[in-house]
Amino acid sequence: MNDSTIISGERFVEAKKFDNLDLYPSATTESPMNTIAAKQSDFEREALPHMNALYSFALRLCRNREDANDLVQETFMKGFRFFDKFERGTNCKAWLFRILKNTYINQYRKDKREPDIVEYDVIEEFYDLIRSDSSDSTDLQKKIFDNLLDDEVSTALESLPETFRTAIILCDLEGMTYEEIAEIIECPIGTVRSRLHRARKMLASQLLAYAKQRGYDTKDFE
Amino acid sequence: MKKSSKDLEELLAAMADGEYIDPKVKQELESRLESDPELSVALYIQTAMKNILHHRSEALHTEAPAELRLSIVNGIRAQQLQAPKQIKSVSFIESFWNALDPIVSVLSPKFVIPTVLAIFMAGYMYMSEQVQTESVVSPNPSMLKVVHAESNNICSQTYTSFRAYKNGDLKPQIITTNQEKLSSFFAENGVKYTVHYPKIDAELIGGIVSQEKGTTFAHFIYKVGDHIIYAYEVPEGLVDNQTLSVNPRAMEIVNKADWYWEKENGASNTMVLWRLGPNLCVMVSDLRTEQLSALLHVKET
């Protein structure tokens, strides 16, 4: 045993009694590496990919970046705190949207009684335009809407009353089903369908107004 | 019964979205679409608006700012580090609100206030009854700790040995950097199980044997610079609360997450417990958690 030394006469079994535990305070779990780490890892994997969608939605609800930042941050903090209650395998995106929407309503919404305004005159005008058109609908859609700027579509979307805006964003921008939307906004599927129907009509009227402002010649259709 | 035009018009949204419509109603709707130009226009509006948004969805999405992303990730990590401290200091009111939060988060706002009031009243009545028979209503924080209290607890034994080694009260019975020689030493001194040794980027210093209820166990020590890593490896089958024991909560965490880590209260020592083949291995070190974890080859279990 050239490279090792046995220390004789000091058998650890004799010296070590393990009976002075009071000298050493008990340890407690504080490490980030146990189940909490697993929870963090799961949460980051499941929830963080939806941050852009949540932020876009928050921005369209709050209409200012500061509140949208706070709202998304609060949504994720709540989501993390209650991630244990999230049923794995179900729709995490819809769950986070629901938290965000309820947090918004409870804490961020400035005007809680926003009236639902529908400019049906403009819609009627739009109906007339389409009715008189002889070309197929794809051509018409191209003629009327293709030249719209993204900003105009965005502004038109933001001009919709909140309940309608929420429905159309969740369906047409986020690609959610009626069932998922119904769960998020807590109403029957029939209401989702009705709101979507009306929201699209309102959006169409707004976009037509922008198209006309941009010099779109409606005479072709009259 | 035939549906009104308004009812049918609303169903056009479902048609544009490819959602379910009752087959009979759908048939009626399709029939009406052929004969009613207004209804056709209404369907066109639904599909056109859907397409416009869908095709521009990328442009209409706003990317979350990098600072927000960073702030959220930091917030999550800060929340998890604070979690045990929060448990110790929550009052009844805080507990009440914390308990309500998930309910409030998912409730429709119009139901929030009545629900909260109802739960609060019920909670208040319950607590009033409790106070009459019990003077202390707050939970005992020590109940939430993982305490390594029993004298045969392998974690507390490793802590104790680590300290004794650091203080010079415990010396290696063999000094060697050779794992095979150390295994021979263990076998010669009564260790009857195979010691597996963790794969770790640290230098082996030597080993010690200890006895518990007539069984001999292996201890070994590593060093990294000025830091010490004290390891204790025992057969899991002997961690039976008779010969040796371990806190069940710690084992539950090992079973779920493979590793149980803790930072010692009042000191910067790190302890880790995990399975090494058929054995359980406990390490205590004066390295920080992230330093020790970086040295261990985690896939070898």
Side-chain angles (χ1 to χ4, degrees):
Chain A
M1 289 194 206
N2 292 333
D3 63 342
S4 63
T5 309
I6 294 176
I7 300 169
S8 58
E10 212 175 322
R11 292 289 293 176
F12 181 52
V13 287
E14 301 293 328
K16 191 167 178 288
K17 303 286 188 194
F18 297 120
D19 56 0
N20 291 325
L21 291 170
D22 289 344
L23 293 173
Y24 310 111
S26 299
T28 59
T29 46
E30 283 184 353
S31 168
M33 297 188 69
N34 301 318
T35 49
I36 300 174
K39 175 183 170 186
Q40 182 203 321
S41 167
D42 284 356
F43 183 76
E44 290 188 0
R45 191 180 59 250
E46 293 244 15
L48 293 190
H50 305 303
M51 194 184 295
N52 284 343
L54 286 160
Y55 182 72
S56 287
F57 186 48
L59 205 53
R60 293 202 183 279
L61 287 176
C62 299
R63 294 185 169 124
N64 76 75
R65 289 181 183 274
E66 200 176 319
D67 281 355
N69 279 354
D70 290 347
L71 177 56
V72 173
Q73 172 114 16
E74 198 168 338
T75 299
F76 274 99
M77 292 305 109
K78 277 185 181 172
F80 180 65
R81 279 169 65 198
F82 302 115
F83 193 52
D84 299 333
K85 294 178 172 58
F86 167 67
E87 196 181 329
R88 303 297 157 95
T90 59
N91 191 333
C92 186
K93 186 179 178 182
W95 180 69
L96 288 167
F97 267 78
R98 188 174 180 182
I99 296 174
L100 185 142
K101 176 243 169 195
N102 282 337
T103 306
Y104 169 74
I105 290 173
N106 289 322
Q107 290 171 40
Y108 290 84
R109 187 157 70 183
K110 304 285 191 295
D111 181 6
K112 292 181 188 270
R113 293 191 178 185
E114 192 176 19
D116 297 344
I117 304 161
V118 188
E119 297 290 343
Y120 283 109
D121 288 349
V122 190
I123 284 286
E124 285 308 313
E125 188 181 352
F126 186 61
Y127 270 48
D128 291 340
L129 277 175
I130 296 168
R131 223 178 271 131
S132 61
D133 181 49
S134 57
S135 59
D136 66 52
S137 63
T138 310
D139 285 346
L140 182 68
Q141 182 180 329
K142 285 184 109 46
K143 283 176 185 168
I144 296 178
F145 299 119
D146 270 9
N147 290 326
L148 286 167
L149 300 174
D150 291 337
D151 278 355
E152 288 170 331
V153 177
S154 182
T155 308
L157 196 57
E158 281 175 26
S159 74
L160 302 182
E162 187 188 296
T163 49
F164 298 97
R165 191 164 73 237
T166 299
I168 202 168
I169 288 171
L170 294 179
C171 183
D172 295 342
L173 287 182
E174 299 305 331
M176 292 186 182
T177 63
Y178 285 10
E179 194 179 349
E180 288 168 338
I181 299 168
E183 194 185 312
I184 292 169
I185 64 180
E186 292 160 277
C187 67
I189 284 177
T191 308
V192 173
R193 190 171 55 221
S194 170
R195 283 184 188 175
L196 271 170
H197 172 251
R198 294 183 66 194
R200 287 174 182 149
K201 281 173 76 173
M202 284 184 247
L203 185 68
S205 73
Q206 287 290 341
L207 292 180
L208 179 69
Y210 289 132
K212 288 173 86 173
Q213 278 172 19
R214 285 172 57 79
Y216 175 74
D217 187 4
T218 59
K219 286 176 185 170
D220 289 351
F221 299 95
E222 289 169 356
Chain B
M1 195 176 102
K2 283 200 167 185
K3 286 195 172 285
S4 69
S5 292
K6 186 178 173 294
D7 289 342
L8 280 177
E9 209 184 306
E10 284 191 357
L11 285 168
L12 295 173
M15 189 174 250
D17 291 320
E19 289 278 340
Y20 175 80
I21 303 172
D22 181 85
K24 281 183 183 170
V25 178
K26 193 175 180 182
Q27 201 174 8
E28 185 187 344
L29 187 59
E30 283 168 347
S31 160
R32 290 276 289 273
L33 274 168
E34 283 175 12
S35 59
D36 186 343
E38 290 221 359
L39 211 56
S40 299
V41 171
L43 175 62
Y44 169 70
I45 288 175
Q46 295 298 310
T47 50
M49 293 305 107
K50 183 176 179 65
N51 289 338
I52 282 171
L53 292 180
H54 180 69
H55 292 141
R56 295 175 192 238
S57 65
E58 201 172 315
L60 295 173
H61 271 109
T62 311
E63 198 170 320
E67 312 84 73
L68 175 64
R69 190 171 291 273
L70 187 66
S71 169
I72 287 170
V73 171
N74 287 339
I76 290 166
R77 288 173 187 169
Q79 234 184 49
Q80 72 173 37
L81 288 170
Q82 286 164 9
K85 290 170 191 166
Q86 286 171 351
I87 287 167
K88 289 177 194 171
S89 59
V90 286
S91 65
F92 167 67
I93 295 295
E94 283 171 308
S95 305
F96 175 74
W97 281 113
N98 285 340
L100 278 185
D101 207 305
I103 302 168
V104 170
S105 294
V106 298
L107 266 183
S108 174
K110 63 186 170 189
F111 296 124
V112 167
I113 293 172
T115 307
V116 167
L117 280 175
I119 295 172
F120 186 84
M121 289 301 290
Y124 178 78
M125 288 167 72
Y126 174 76
M127 292 305 293
S128 301
E129 285 180 13
Q130 289 294 102
V131 169
Q132 288 171 5
T133 56
E134 209 174 280
S135 57
V136 180
V137 292
S138 60
N140 181 357
S142 65
M143 296 296 283
L144 301 164
K145 291 178 183 174
V146 173
V147 180
H148 312 294
E150 294 80 13
S151 63
N152 65 350
N153 180 295
I154 55 173
C155 297
S156 69
Q157 288 184 350
T158 315
Y159 272 119
T160 308
S161 302
F162 168 77
R163 286 193 190 85
Y165 180 83
K166 287 271 283 184
N167 294 339
D169 298 334
L170 178 66
K171 295 190 187 327
Q173 293 165 329
I174 179 171
I175 294 175
T176 180
T177 56
N178 187 315
Q179 210 166 279
E180 286 179 13
K181 279 200 163 63
L182 186 56
S183 289
S184 300
F185 167 78
F186 286 144
E188 286 163 13
N189 285 272
V191 175
K192 290 191 168 56
Y193 56 93
T194 303
V195 179
H196 289 266
Y197 302 101
K199 285 181 185 165
I200 186 168
D201 296 325
E203 187 187 345
L204 186 66
I205 297 175
I208 308 167
V209 291
S210 68
Q211 267 190 357
E212 199 72 38
K213 303 262 170 64
T215 306
T216 308
F217 296 101
H219 303 236
F220 40 97
I221 304 147
Y222 297 94
K223 72 170 182 181
V224 180
D226 296 333
H227 297 281
I228 295 297
I229 303 164
Y230 191 99
Y232 184 26
E233 194 178 321
V234 303
E236 189 173 355
L238 292 176
V239 186
D240 55 1
N241 292 326
Q242 303 296 321
T243 311
L244 294 170
S245 70
V246 67
N247 185 294
R249 176 67 184 138
M251 269 319 288
E252 189 186 327
I253 291 168
V254 171
N255 289 334
K256 281 182 184 168
D258 294 335
W259 303 78
Y260 168 73
W261 293 81
E262 71 178 27
K263 196 178 282 183
E264 189 183 16
N265 252 2
S268 57
N269 299 331
T270 298
M271 193 272 282
V272 57
L273 165 72
W274 79 107
R275 279 197 180 88
L276 201 55
N279 298 341
L280 284 175
C281 189
V282 189
M283 275 183 169
V284 174
S285 175
D286 49 4
L287 288 161
R288 292 197 307 273
T289 309
E290 63 273 23
Q291 291 173 320
L292 181 58
S293 65
L295 296 175
L296 280 162
H297 294 219
V298 294
K299 286 183 179 171
E300 51 98 23
T301 54

